[in-house]
Amino acid sequence: MSDTLKTRLWINIALVAGAVLLALILWLNPGKTPDYVPLSKLDKSSIKLIDIRTGTKPQITLEKHDSDWLLVKPFSIAANTSRVNAILNLLTTYADAYYPAGQLDLDQFGLLPPA
């Protein structure tokens, strides 16, 4: 076996050993899993009406009729169901952190008065 092949063999053996060592470390000591808090306890299938209010812009209202969503304010038209589902999927996401409102100065974050 030539010197080049021996060198490559030892490099490959070292890489495999390193990968096995990392896998063992992760398997034996996985660390603490964070406690995720859901953004909402609402079931997205129970939502029939969505009101979107942003500052001085006109209110947007979406209503569910059977399995379809309709935009009813500021005008009436069929809504894009996949985009409405993207909004509803926010209910099932998890927050990385949770801050009780009673312990915060909400005015500092522009949350007083609530919108």
Side-chain angles (χ1 to χ4, degrees), residues 54-74:
T54 55
T56 60
K57 295 181 181 178
Q59 174 181 339
I60 297 171
T61 302
L62 300 160
E63 287 183 4
K64 186 173 186 180
H65 295 276
D66 297 324
S67 63
D68 297 324
W69 283 90
L70 299 175
L71 174 69
V72 294
K73 278 187 185 176

Side-chain angles (χ1 to χ4, degrees), residues 56-110:
T56 60
K57 295 181 181 178
Q59 174 181 339
I60 297 171
T61 302
L62 300 160
E63 287 183 4
K64 186 173 186 180
H65 295 276
D66 297 324
S67 63
D68 297 324
W69 283 90
L70 299 175
L71 174 69
V72 294
K73 278 187 185 176
F75 47 85
S76 184
I77 192 170
N80 185 329
T81 303
S82 62
R83 291 193 180 205
V84 175
N85 285 332
I87 293 171
L88 292 173
N89 285 338
L90 292 173
L91 296 171
T92 60
T93 59
Y94 289 89
D96 290 332
Y98 174 76
Y99 303 100
Q103 299 174 3
L104 298 174
D105 179 15
L106 297 180
D107 194 33
Q108 173 187 355
F109 301 107

Side-chain angles (χ1 to χ4, degrees), residues 2-80:
S2 71
D3 287 339
T4 304
L5 288 177
K6 286 181 184 179
T7 304
R8 288 185 180 176
L9 177 65
W10 283 110
I11 289 173
N12 286 335
I13 290 172
L15 289 172
V16 169
V20 169
L21 180 64
L22 285 174
L24 282 173
I25 290 171
L26 291 175
W27 184 57
L28 296 175
N29 187 15
K32 181 182 180 257
T33 56
D35 295 328
Y36 291 111
V37 178
L39 291 180
S40 175
K41 294 186 190 309
L42 292 174
D43 179 20
K44 69 180 186 177
S45 64
S46 68
I47 306 294
K48 306 291 182 217
L49 178 75
I50 300 173
D51 277 331
I52 302 171
R53 300 175 187 180
T54 55
T56 60
K57 295 181 181 178
Q59 174 181 339
I60 297 171
T61 302
L62 300 160
E63 287 183 4
K64 186 173 186 180
H65 295 276
D66 297 324
S67 63
D68 297 324
W69 283 90
L70 299 175
L71 174 69
V72 294
K73 278 187 185 176
F75 47 85
S76 184
I77 192 170
N80 185 329

